[in-house]
């Protein structure tokens, strides 16, 4: 019989079982039973199973979220194997299975106490009612307009749903965070301080004029936006841009920089070239970005720790992780 222990209750009748307490003992010692209970009853939706997202899923499954729902109707390819360790190396198991189904089967082995399932469909087709089932929505492998639409739907819900968009190209990665109106407590010296962070939507963050951003803004922010705009203008799927499109990218970069009153040197040609020369993800960067994303989602669910606001950038060339707060004034 599964015995329940009265740990970290807040009056909602949900408790940690003895089995959960034993399995997550080390985590409970770090962030407390109440934080673990919050994790154990949370529901996470993930769209787009890139290598970075595979790392994230592994991390939160091991941490003990309540459920994880995967969406990616694509078929697995040999190219994906280089960055997504959840795809079985045996191609004989691929037959008739989507990428999400293959990853789902692998993730179930990491932690049998977490319910991992698959949904089919396109991100744009999911309505507000469907998204209301989740506490966290993480999207990848989708267009600029799809990110905006999904984030907008999350904001229409009566409850707060944490929204994350993640992208990794070559040896660079980006995370966007929208926690809406996020309240949390933290200890400062000997007292507990109440904090309130107000996040802009993805669309509102991108609407901030480039000329209004500080001079040392991450160049990766600008480069990612140019590539997104190019994909959207050309009707391409995410990641379909290649070195053959480089001249078109440079032309668009010039147009955008002129319209935004930004010096073109802020979007280095060399950086754009790197991002489109090798569309596959660099596995070590997947581990870093997936680790940061997992950490941020656990913070948002548990209410423990300062969450980042609202962009995170990483470039393996200099090994720096940069947080940028891009919000309308």
């Amino acid at each position: 019989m599964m015995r329940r222990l009265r740990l970290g209750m807040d009056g909602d009748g949900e408790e940690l079982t003895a089995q959960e307490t034993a399995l997550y003992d080390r985590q409970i010692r770090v962030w407390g039973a109440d934080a673990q209970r919050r994790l154990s009853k949370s529901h996470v939706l993930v769209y787009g199973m890139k290598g970075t997202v595979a790392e994230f899923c592994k991390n939160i499954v091991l941490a003990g979220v309540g459920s994880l729902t995967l969406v990616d109707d694509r078929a697995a390819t040999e190219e994906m194997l280089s960055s997504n360790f959840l795809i079985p190396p045996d191609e004989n198991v691929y037959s008739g299975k989507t990428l999400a189904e293959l990853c789902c089967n692998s993730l179930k082995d990491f932690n049998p106490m977490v319910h991992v399932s698959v949904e089919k469909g396109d991100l744009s087709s999911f309505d507000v009612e469907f998204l209301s089932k989740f506490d966290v929505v993480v999207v990848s492998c989708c267009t600029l307009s799809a990110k905006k639409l999904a984030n907008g739907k999350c904001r229409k819900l009566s409850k707060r749903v944490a929204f994350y968009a993640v992208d990794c190209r070559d040896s660079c990665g980006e995370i966007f965070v929208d926690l809406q109106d996020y309240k949390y407590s933290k200890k400062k010296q000997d007292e507990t301080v109440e904090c309130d962070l107000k996040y802009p939507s993805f669309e509102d963050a991108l609407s901030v004029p480039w000329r209004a951003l500080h001079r040392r803004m991450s160049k990766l922010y600008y480069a990612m936006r140019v590539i997104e705009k190019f994909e959207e203008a050309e009707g391409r799927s995410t990641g379909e841009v290649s070195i053959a499109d480089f001249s078109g990218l440079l032309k668009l970069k010039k147009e955008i920089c002129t319209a935004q009153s930004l010096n073109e040197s802020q979007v280095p040609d060399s950086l754009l070239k790197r991002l489109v020369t090798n569309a596959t993800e660099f596995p070590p960067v997947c581990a870093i970005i997936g680790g940061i994303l997992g950490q941020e989602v656990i913070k948002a669910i548990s209410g423990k720790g300062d969450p980042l606001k609202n962009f995170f950038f990483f470039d393996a060339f200099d090994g720096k992780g940069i947080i940028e707060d891009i919000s309308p004034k």
Side-chain angles (χ1 to χ4, degrees):
M1 185 176 72
M2 190 175 289
R3 186 166 56 92
R4 290 190 173 273
L5 301 184
R6 293 183 175 274
L7 291 174
M9 289 187 62
D10 61 4
D12 59 6
E14 294 290 337
E15 308 167 11
L16 288 173
T17 66
Q19 186 180 0
E20 288 171 326
T21 304
L23 180 61
Y24 305 127
D25 177 66
R26 290 186 179 182
Q27 294 171 187
I28 291 171
R29 292 172 188 270
V30 173
W31 54 52
D34 184 61
Q36 188 63 51
R37 181 194 57 78
R38 291 173 186 270
L39 278 172
S40 298
K41 59 182 287 194
S42 64
H43 305 288
V44 179
L45 173 70
V46 166
Y47 181 90
M49 292 305 299
K50 296 189 76 171
T52 305
V53 176
E55 291 281 355
F56 161 72
C57 289
K58 176 257 295 180
N59 292 336
I60 61 167
V61 165
L62 289 175
V65 294
S67 73
L68 175 63
T69 303
L70 311 178
V71 185
D72 196 322
D73 297 343
R74 296 176 298 169
T77 64
E78 187 175 344
E79 185 181 40
M80 294 176 181
L81 279 170
S82 65
S83 59
N84 190 335
F85 66 93
L86 293 176
I87 303 174
D90 183 5
E91 293 187 9
N92 293 324
V93 303
Y94 291 6
S95 180
K97 291 186 178 179
T98 65
L99 183 56
E101 289 169 334
L102 291 172
C103 292
C104 177
N105 291 336
S106 297
L107 282 167
K108 286 179 178 179
D109 294 333
F110 282 91
N111 188 347
M113 294 189 69
V114 175
H115 179 67
V116 186
S117 62
V118 171
E119 285 281 350
K120 292 189 176 182
D122 183 78
L123 180 61
S124 301
S125 68
F126 296 140
D127 57 21
V128 173
E129 183 179 355
F130 174 76
L131 295 176
S132 68
K133 301 174 184 178
F134 304 97
D135 304 293
V136 176
V137 172
V138 176
V139 303
S140 185
C141 309
C142 57
T143 63
L144 177 63
S145 58
K147 291 176 189 175
K148 291 178 179 178
L149 183 61
N151 187 202
K153 288 177 180 177
C154 288
R155 283 181 153 257
K156 290 180 180 178
L157 295 168
S158 57
K159 70 172 187 177
R160 184 180 60 81
V161 174
F163 176 87
Y164 300 82
V166 59
D167 197 4
C168 186
R169 298 171 189 257
D170 187 59
S171 54
C172 298
E174 172 189 79
I175 298 171
F176 167 77
V177 182
D178 177 17
L179 301 183
Q180 301 180 40
D181 188 357
Y182 183 68
K183 296 178 174 63
Y184 67 105
S185 302
K186 69 175 181 179
K187 285 190 175 181
K188 193 172 183 180
Q189 296 179 342
D190 295 329
E191 61 179 344
T192 300
V193 180
E194 299 297 322
C195 303
D196 186 0
L197 290 176
K198 295 186 182 299
Y199 287 74
S201 67
F202 187 60
E203 185 167 11
D204 287 345
L206 297 191
S207 71
V208 177
W210 289 4
R211 60 181 175 274
L213 302 176
H214 65 84
R215 292 183 179 181
R216 299 186 66 184
M217 172 63 59
S218 170
K219 292 177 172 55
L220 190 52
Y221 172 75
Y222 301 122
M224 288 291 202
R225 304 291 76 80
V226 171
I227 293 175
E228 279 180 339
K229 287 285 188 181
F230 184 85
E231 289 172 340
E232 187 173 58
E234 296 292 320
R236 307 282 184 86
S237 296
T238 303
E240 282 188 354
V241 179
S242 68
I243 191 61
D245 300 303
F246 191 54
S247 60
L249 272 171
L250 293 182
K251 181 182 178 182
L252 180 61
K253 181 192 86 166
K254 182 179 179 63
E255 293 173 358
I256 295 176
C257 286
T258 299
Q260 293 279 1
S261 303
L262 185 76
N263 192 304
E264 287 186 53
S265 64
Q266 292 295 99
V267 196
D269 292 354
S270 58
L271 177 56
L272 277 175
K273 193 170 187 178
R274 276 175 54 206
L275 295 177
V276 299
T277 298
N278 187 5
T280 58
E281 302 162 284
F282 189 43
V285 175
C286 292
I288 293 170
I289 300 298
I292 296 293
L293 180 57
Q295 172 184 293
E296 289 304 315
V297 168
I298 290 172
K299 284 182 191 176
I301 294 172
S302 67
K304 298 286 186 178
D306 292 306
L308 71 82
K309 180 175 183 284
N310 53 345
F311 281 89
F312 174 80
F313 301 97
F314 179 80
D315 188 340
F317 266 36
D318 58 21
K320 292 180 180 178
I322 299 172
I323 297 173
E324 300 282 11
D325 184 353
I326 304 175
S327 306
K329 300 293 186 182

